[in-house]
Amino acid sequence: MSSAIINGKEIGQEIRGAVATRVEALKSKGVTPGLAVILVGDNPASKTYVANKQKSCEQIGMFSELIKLPEDISEQALLEQISELNTRSDIHGILVQLPLPKHIDEDQVIQAISPEKDVDGFSPISVGKMMLGQDTYLPCTPYGVMKLLEHSGIEIAGKHAVIVGRSHIVGKPMGQLLLQKDATVTYTHSKTPNLPSFTKQADILIAAVGRPNFITKEHIKEGAVVIDVGINRNEQNKLVGDVNFTEVSELASHITPVPGGVGPMTITMLLENTVQAAEKELERQAK
Ligand code: NDP
């Protein structure tokens, strides 16, 4: 058996087309959706992520502003910067690129973002609303995975989804979103004994581990849908996922490649969340 490849680049482009149409509609009403991206320090990976986010905003006609702050900025000064962005009417979404330098408390910083502008969906208010199934901004990577499954016609209700990884930004919210679509969800992590005994039960397997080629054919049930969230560099400095694609694609019914799978969806959903924030702001003003 060989798998159908879930093409995140193509699905992402399709969604971005629809988002661009919404941007045009907002512009015709005098509103340009605006995203502020805060980058603290000189982390090369963070710089690349931020540049990609800005480029993607511009490509669909959105406004984006990069706020570069020095590595040694105080937590207080960063909080003041966020507070100012919270009040700006041309900024609808605020994103703080993580990780932050050690002397800054990330939780405090994320909490300072106004829930109306929390387009990353990381603040406790956004997370709480997501848990309750209320209207909120969903965290971009798990939201992107849900869109990949939806666009690929993969049934979720009644399926057993196994998540490998329980981080706040990927694993935990991923399980929650699948649960809301009536999957039976199992979380696994580094303390899970005999991991394959769990992953082999998965109809839908989500790998969010951060270890190159960690998931092999011994983890997979034939016909499973395999979503690889991992972005890692192997020994040859090549970009690879958490899943050994060559082996696993022999068994899976559907699989995402790396690159070109989940990656393009994360930025796509960030754009969508920001446009949604601008639409909601317009609605509030009209009331
Ligand atoms: P974290 O390091 O925060 O979490 C990794 C998770 O994997 C932890 O829950 C950890 O368990 C678990 N884990 C580690 N080793 C094992 C093991 N041997 N067996 C089972 N579970 C294990 O990573 P993130 O969630 O932030 O990211 C995961 C991957 O996804 C990374 O490669 C990252 O680069 C990528 N990523 C990709 C994105 C995209 O846009 N495609 C966006 C965000 C992340 P424990 O909790 O017990 O430590």
Side-chain angles (χ1 to χ4, degrees):
M1 180 173 183
S2 92
S3 326
I5 310 284
I6 300 180
N7 188 331
K9 221 173 155 187
E10 241 172 62
I11 296 171
Q13 279 305 332
E14 199 183 315
I15 297 174
R16 284 183 204 206
V19 176
T21 308
R22 286 162 67 184
V23 171
E24 281 311 307
L26 281 163
K27 281 182 160 174
S28 71
K29 293 174 187 153
V31 177
T32 301
L35 175 72
V37 180
I38 299 180
L39 175 65
V40 180
D42 283 315
N43 179 325
S46 293
K47 276 177 154 171
T48 309
Y49 291 141
V50 161
N52 286 339
K53 285 168 186 168
Q54 281 212 291
K55 197 170 118 202
S56 304
C57 280
E58 282 153 22
Q59 277 168 350
I60 63 158
M62 284 170 49
F63 168 65
S64 83
E65 183 167 314
L66 174 62
I67 296 154
K68 274 179 153 172
L69 300 170
E71 180 87 24
D72 61 354
I73 189 168
S74 69
E75 186 176 306
Q76 189 52 36
L78 177 56
L79 292 174
E80 281 164 18
Q81 183 67 248
I82 292 173
S83 187
E84 192 209 318
L85 290 168
N86 281 340
T87 63
R88 271 178 54 185
S89 60
D90 60 335
I91 295 296
H92 303 94
I94 302 171
L95 179 151
V96 178
Q97 186 63 45
L98 301 177
L100 290 170
K102 296 267 177 294
H103 66 280
I104 297 177
D105 181 343
E106 274 182 11
D107 289 345
Q108 290 295 329
V109 171
I110 299 299
Q111 275 182 56
I113 300 170
S114 152
E116 286 78 28
K117 300 190 178 188
D118 177 29
V119 288
D120 248 346
F122 291 167
S123 81
I125 291 185
S126 305
V127 174
K129 284 186 165 182
M130 179 197 65
M131 289 289 291
L132 297 169
Q134 294 177 8
D135 183 28
T136 187
Y137 302 110
L138 299 176
C140 301
T141 301
Y143 187 20
V145 171
M146 294 307 284
K147 289 283 176 191
L148 284 181
L149 295 172
E150 187 189 304
H151 279 247
S152 308
I154 290 159
E155 208 176 311
I156 298 172
K159 301 294 178 194
H160 185 188
V162 178
I163 323 284
V164 191
R166 55 171 166 181
S167 71
H168 293 328
I169 61 167
V170 188
K172 274 187 196 158
M174 190 69 251
Q176 197 55 42
L177 297 182
L178 287 162
L179 181 66
Q180 281 169 13
K181 293 288 178 198
D182 298 327
T184 301
V185 176
T186 300
Y187 285 102
T188 64
H189 46 77
S190 70
K191 308 290 187 297
T192 302
N194 194 2
L195 186 67
S197 72
F198 293 92
T199 55
K200 257 188 170 308
Q201 294 177 39
D203 302 310
I204 301 173
L205 181 73
I206 313 277
V209 191
R211 297 181 66 170
N213 301 321
F214 178 75
I215 300 289
T216 58
K217 63 179 184 215
E218 68 157 10
H219 293 89
I220 307 292
K221 174 173 82 177
E222 186 157 2
V225 173
V226 179
I227 304 290
D228 189 354
V229 181
I231 300 180
N232 316 293
R233 296 262 169 206
N234 69 6
E235 285 118 27
Q236 291 81 42
N237 204 32
K238 193 175 155 231
L239 213 57
V240 294
D242 288 345
V243 175
N244 183 324
F245 185 89
T246 314
E247 271 185 41
V248 171
S249 58
E250 295 283 310
L251 286 173
S253 65
H254 297 75
I255 189 166
T256 58
V258 177
V262 177
M265 297 302 289
T266 298
I267 296 188
T268 303
M269 301 334 291
L270 173 70
L271 301 175
E272 208 219 68
N273 279 349
T274 307
V275 168
Q276 204 189 323
E279 289 168 347
K280 284 185 177 166
E281 179 56 27
L282 196 63
E283 276 169 32
R284 276 192 294 272
Q285 283 170 11
K287 276 186 187 157

